[in-house]
């Protein structure tokens, strides 16, 4: 898990990828939960301490955050009674 981005409560990690080549370096983590999309969006809008919500694309359920050392994208999708959370964190 990320040390500075919270995991959605009760979610299960489904994927972890760390890219160390090229620039910027990035880490992608995917989680799954049975909670609805709106609950997940609300959680990330209210619990990203030390991050600034710089943009939101609610049509596609994507939140953009920025901090002093990195930026991240939180993409939330739902299907078949399962919500998937994909977080991609880029290092500046």
């Amino acid at each position: 898990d990320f040390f500075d981005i919270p995991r959605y409560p009760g979610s299960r990690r489904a994927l972890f990828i760390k890219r160390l080549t090229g620039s910027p370096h990035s880490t992608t983590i995917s989680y799954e939960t049975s909670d609805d999309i709106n609950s997940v969006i609300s959680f990330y809008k209210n619990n990203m301490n030390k991050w600034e919500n710089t943009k939101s694309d609610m049509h596609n359920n994507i939140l953009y955050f920025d901090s002093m050392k990195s930026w991240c994208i939180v993409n939330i999708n739902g299907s078949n009674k399962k919500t998937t959370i994909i977080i991609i964190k880029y290092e500046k």
Side-chain angles (χ1 to χ4, degrees):
D1 290 352
F2 296 107
F3 73 91
D4 56 349
I5 301 173
R7 177 193 280 213
Y8 185 78
S11 65
R12 178 183 73 81
R13 187 172 57 227
L15 174 76
F16 175 88
I17 300 171
K18 188 162 187 87
R19 189 181 76 139
L20 299 173
T21 60
S23 182
H25 293 183
S26 66
T27 303
T28 303
I29 299 179
S30 175
Y31 301 102
E32 295 177 347
T33 181
S34 59
D35 290 356
D36 65 279
I37 290 174
N38 291 329
S39 295
V40 176
I41 290 171
S42 178
F43 174 81
Y44 281 99
K45 280 188 170 184
N46 294 305
N47 291 284
M48 290 290 285
N49 302 328
K50 299 182 183 178
W51 290 86
E52 178 185 354
N53 184 198
T54 57
K55 181 179 172 185
S56 297
D57 177 353
M58 292 297 82
H59 179 71
N60 294 305
N61 301 318
I62 301 173
L63 305 171
Y64 301 85
F65 295 93
D66 194 19
S67 75
M68 295 296 286
K69 296 183 180 181
S70 54
W71 73 94
C72 75
I73 299 167
V74 180
N75 186 344
I76 301 144
N77 294 294
S79 64
N80 299 329
K81 298 183 181 181
K82 175 175 68 176
T83 299
T84 302
I85 306 153
I86 301 170
I87 302 172
I88 306 170
K89 179 181 174 185
Y90 299 92
E91 302 298 329
K92 289 185 180 176

